[in-house]
Amino acid sequence: MLGTLLSDPFATVAPLWRRLNRWGLAAVEINDRCLALWAPGAISATVAPLPEGLVLDGIPQNPAAVGDLLGDLVLQAGLNLRAAAALLPSGETEWRMLRLEPTAPLKEQQLALAGVDQNLALMPLAEPGEWMALLNKCQTIDRWIEVFAIADLELDFLEVAEIAQLRALGIQFGDPAAPDCLLLDLQTKASHFTWMQKGKPFYRQRLGPAGGANSAKLLAELAVMSQFHDQPLWLMGCELLQPGLAEQLLEGGNGWLQLAPLRAIGSGDPLTDAAFAGLIGTAQRVADG
């Protein structure tokens, strides 16, 4: 090994220098339909379509292929990145409210959570001893780590979609002064309804997909929910980019359904911004440090 390094030092120094010289942290969203990247300093996302079946319900079926496509997108955009933050799709995250002894150190408490093969993230809420547990299968997390390793990007953090979407809306998770809101995240296989009250999820439900004949059923389900709320339901998620879907839902919602009004406008196109609300929220977290 020593002889190889001495005989051809540039072969090892050049790749090392390229790694040391890389800068910036990108925000990345990979869903069933597309791959989107928000580079440092960018005013809009770079979006590339994904082959059908490569990602299903937010889970990479072929991490090597997805990683190659992500790496290619970074190169095509002319970026010199060292790391990325990723948006974790809604469908794979299980939410649970925990009430723990507020005076005892967290590490000393027994968490009543089944399933040893789950990755756990804890988020504090306003009430003493109240926490939100976000659970994902370790296998799912491992696949995402593999995707970014193949793309030659360090994965700094994974962020659950709804948390990032709330940030894009100007709502701080866990803030008791936050306004109530209703979110509908439209993904390929399902729609995810979340009702936030005082900065924490009060109700969350997985509904059917949108598009085609499914939209009529989804609108019927939402019409039932609308009877219990006096505020609009904000639409977001990649499926809004289906041709004609946003218009169909907005017309069928009779004013109760609205595109998510993001705090910071990204691309200048409200439909695109609502489709990538979570990506914009993650990019804001990156920018805020």
Side-chain angles (χ1 to χ4, degrees), residues 29-36 47-51 55 188 238 241 276:
E29 177 179 353
I30 303 174
N31 54 56
D32 292 15
R33 293 190 181 274
C34 63
L35 189 160
V47 182
L50 285 178
V55 177
T188 306
C238 67
L241 298 183
F276 295 107

Side-chain angles (χ1 to χ4, degrees), residues 18 21 33 43 51 115 143 152 198 206 236 252 263:
R18 282 198 295 270
N21 195 41
R33 293 190 181 274
I43 60 173
R143 289 194 184 190
D152 196 21
K198 298 181 180 179
R206 181 182 174 110
M236 51 185 59
R263 178 185 61 179

Side-chain angles (χ1 to χ4, degrees), residues 143-161:
R143 289 194 184 190
W144 284 111
I145 293 173
E146 184 180 354
V147 164
F148 285 84
I150 291 169
D152 196 21
L153 291 170
E154 299 173 17
L155 183 56
D156 270 29
F157 64 87
L158 277 167
E159 185 164 40
V160 174

Side-chain angles (χ1 to χ4, degrees), residues 41-120:
I43 60 173
S44 62
T46 301
V47 182
L50 285 178
E52 185 176 355
L54 197 58
V55 177
L56 292 177
D57 211 10
I59 302 176
Q61 302 302 298
N62 186 335
V66 178
D68 285 339
L69 290 173
L70 175 58
D72 290 344
L73 186 62
V74 171
L75 291 175
Q76 290 168 11
L79 301 174
N80 193 25
L81 298 171
R82 63 166 182 82
L87 192 68
L88 194 63
S90 302
E92 285 302 299
T93 305
E94 181 181 350
W95 299 41
R96 296 192 194 175
M97 188 83 74
L98 298 180
R99 288 181 173 83
L100 306 176
E101 176 56 50
T103 59
L106 185 62
K107 63 182 179 179
E108 296 180 3
Q109 301 198 45
Q110 296 293 323
L111 303 183
L113 298 171
V116 295
D117 63 337
Q118 292 178 315
N119 181 277
L120 169 66

Side-chain angles (χ1 to χ4, degrees), residues 255-267:
W256 187 63
L257 299 179
Q258 299 179 17
L259 292 179
L262 304 195
R263 178 185 61 179
I265 298 300
S267 68

